[in-house]
Amino acid sequence: MTDSDFSGSGLPAPLTDPVSVTWQSPSNIAFVKYWGKTGRQLPVNPSLSMTLSKAYTETKLTAFPHKEEGAAELEFWFEGKQNEAFGERTGRFLQSVSDIFPWLGQVKLKLETHNTFPHSAGIASSASAFSALALCLCSLDAELCGILLDEMEFRFKASYVARLGSGSACRSLFPGLTVWGRTRSLPGSTDLLAIPVTEVHPVFKSLRDTILIVNNKEKAVSSTEGHNRMINHPFAEARIKQAEKNTSGLLEALKNGDKDTFIQIVENEALTLHALMMTANKGFMLMYPETVRIISRIQELRKETGLEICFTLDAGPNIHLIYFEDQIEQVNKLIVEDLLKNNKQSARIDDHYGLGPVKLG
Ligand code: PMV
């Protein structure tokens, strides 16, 4: 597979009437973290994530006839209001994919989008937003230019396009567990797009993720800047080896239903991500004291209760508490009576293993 497999064509005939498509696409949480990129949004190491279910973006994209050809023209509506900042980022993205969708310069676009979860709540909104937009672009491509792809080819193309908007977004296109980035341990894996993990023990289909919100302010250092700080990082080489080893170990654990190894790797990856931030040449810290308190408590509670709970972290202070469906009641009690008991915000979002994007129209 190469970039040229995805280049497209212009409109076969000028558009006469508006054409709309709508997709709902979820966010995802990485168990092996993508941290550091190169080239045209390519990862320096493989990553493995779980597609979520309730945290999703719904996007409607409408193409209108446009008299003059030129740069893509876009009107951006976020949660019912026009949003210039998001419009500008999306405009730059559309410009960057004009080789894949040359018809973008021949139409006017209106994008209407909303999320089911609050912005900056520790859920990667760029993953759901760019995967939903990529799906809409691929659907419009099919309708406007008659591009016919089977279901998997369509998802792979959308994953390729989503990656160019936000790396982690390329993993949201499939149900359940997904790998992005070439790894020896998964045939067919590639840096260009994500592929689904098919050998998954049923126990891992009951995974749950409750996000414990410590702080929902805008992050001091963005993911884009964080990726940049992996360039010439003193531990870059060791990190790439470790991610390969953790991906391989996790794939094996997922296949065999090995929960202990799963827990060990997931926590190792979360702590490594934040250790890489702290040890970068311009080091920074996104964890709060409350983050450290809660993750330490999760480890203690695992020992004390024997419950199969663990944590992961994204590039932010909020904690993803990972557990299994059959322990939902006991874990809920721990969240209310212990983990969030003295937390001023006391906010949480309950999510779980998801089934992937849905076309709404
Ligand atoms: O997709 P980006 O550029 O927002 O980077 C996301 C990076 C992490 O969320 C920290 C890890 C990951 O693999 O999702």
Side-chain angles (χ1 to χ4, degrees):
M1 208 180 291
T2 64
D3 286 314
S4 60
D5 293 334
F6 297 99
S7 51
S9 61
L11 295 179
L15 190 62
T16 48
D17 296 305
V19 180
S20 290
V21 292
T22 308
W23 276 92
Q24 170 185 309
S25 189
S27 187
N28 66 74
I29 178 67
F31 293 145
V32 176
K33 308 293 182 182
Y34 147 57
W35 201 237
K37 58 181 164 182
T38 177
R40 195 181 178 190
Q41 196 92 312
L42 299 167
V44 296
N45 64 262
S47 58
L48 190 157
S49 67
M50 176 173 82
T51 298
L52 294 173
S53 175
K54 295 193 198 156
Y56 62 81
T57 298
E58 201 176 294
T59 297
K60 179 176 178 189
L61 186 62
T62 307
F64 294 93
H66 188 25
K67 285 196 194 77
E68 287 159 37
E69 293 203 8
E73 222 177 274
L74 173 71
E75 205 179 285
F76 192 107
W77 291 73
F78 180 63
E79 316 214 308
K81 291 193 194 117
Q82 266 191 292
N83 186 313
E84 271 186 34
F86 286 177
E88 271 171 33
R89 179 168 178 195
T90 310
R92 283 197 298 277
F93 164 69
L94 292 178
Q95 200 64 46
S96 76
V97 295
S98 55
D99 55 333
I100 309 168
F101 307 111
W103 49 265
L104 280 173
Q106 300 173 281
V107 297
K108 260 191 191 167
L109 288 175
K110 181 175 183 190
L111 200 151
E112 295 157 274
T113 186
H114 68 265
N115 293 341
T116 54
F117 53 93
H119 191 56
S120 301
I123 297 178
S125 55
S126 62
S128 55
F130 279 103
S131 56
L133 176 55
L135 285 159
C136 286
L137 286 169
C138 291
S139 284
L140 274 186
D141 198 39
E143 296 212 11
L144 301 179
C145 302
I147 307 291
L148 283 180
L149 299 175
D150 69 28
E151 183 57 28
M152 274 323 261
E153 286 170 338
F154 180 85
R155 295 279 165 134
F156 287 145
K157 181 169 178 175
S159 175
Y160 176 89
V161 173
R163 184 198 98 228
L164 297 169
S166 164
S168 56
C170 76
R171 298 184 309 235
S172 278
L173 279 298
F174 308 96
L177 295 140
T178 302
V179 164
W180 170 40
R182 198 159 50 85
T183 161
R184 283 189 300 279
S185 41
L186 190 64
S189 56
T190 158
D191 290 346
L192 296 180
L193 46 85
I195 63 169
V197 177
T198 49
E199 290 187 296
V200 179
H201 189 282
V203 77
F204 288 110
K205 297 189 178 172
S206 73
L207 274 171
R208 300 195 61 90
D209 174 8
T210 292
I211 300 137
L212 309 175
I213 308 214
V214 164
N215 192 296
N216 57 12
K217 280 204 223 113
E218 204 70 46
K219 289 178 288 199
V221 178
S222 68
S223 301
T224 309
E225 183 50 34
H227 289 295
N228 282 341
R229 294 196 196 176
M230 282 308 290
I231 300 169
N232 297 326
H233 191 291
F235 304 141
E237 209 182 308
R239 165 58 189 156
I240 293 169
K241 280 199 192 122
Q242 179 202 34
E244 178 67 37
K245 187 162 169 263
N246 279 346
T247 304
S248 153
L250 197 51
L251 285 168
E252 203 53 31
L254 291 172
K255 182 162 75 183
N256 300 333
D258 178 352
K259 291 180 179 174
D260 290 342
T261 304
F262 171 84
I263 288 172
Q264 189 267 318
I265 294 177
V266 168
E267 291 194 351
N268 176 252
E269 278 289 318
L271 294 175
T272 297
L273 173 69
H274 285 258
L276 288 168
M277 294 174 191
M278 290 186 240
T279 52
N281 290 323
K282 275 167 76 188
F284 60 105
M285 209 187 298
L286 296 182
M287 285 194 282
Y288 281 43
E290 182 66 354
T291 312
V292 179
R293 185 191 72 76
I294 294 180
I295 63 181
S296 306
R297 191 69 194 127
I298 291 171
Q299 292 185 324
E300 280 169 9
L301 286 168
R302 183 165 67 237
K303 279 205 198 99
E304 285 168 19
T305 63
L307 289 172
E308 288 144 332
I309 53 175
C310 64
F311 65 84
T312 187
L313 303 164
D314 237 326
N318 301 316
I319 295 129
H320 290 249
L321 177 65
I322 308 294
Y323 54 102
F324 295 89
E325 180 77 42
D326 62 345
Q327 296 182 332
I328 192 166
E329 276 168 33
Q330 297 97 306
V331 175
N332 188 41
K333 204 163 171 319
L334 288 186
I335 295 172
V336 176
E337 293 177 6
D338 193 309
L339 295 173
L340 287 185
K341 193 166 164 233
N342 297 317
N343 184 301
K344 276 190 240 107
Q345 276 193 270
S346 217
R348 61 190 270 186
I349 298 175
D350 292 296
D351 212 331
H352 55 84
Y353 179 102
L355 300 178
V358 181
K359 188 164 194 263
L360 301 177

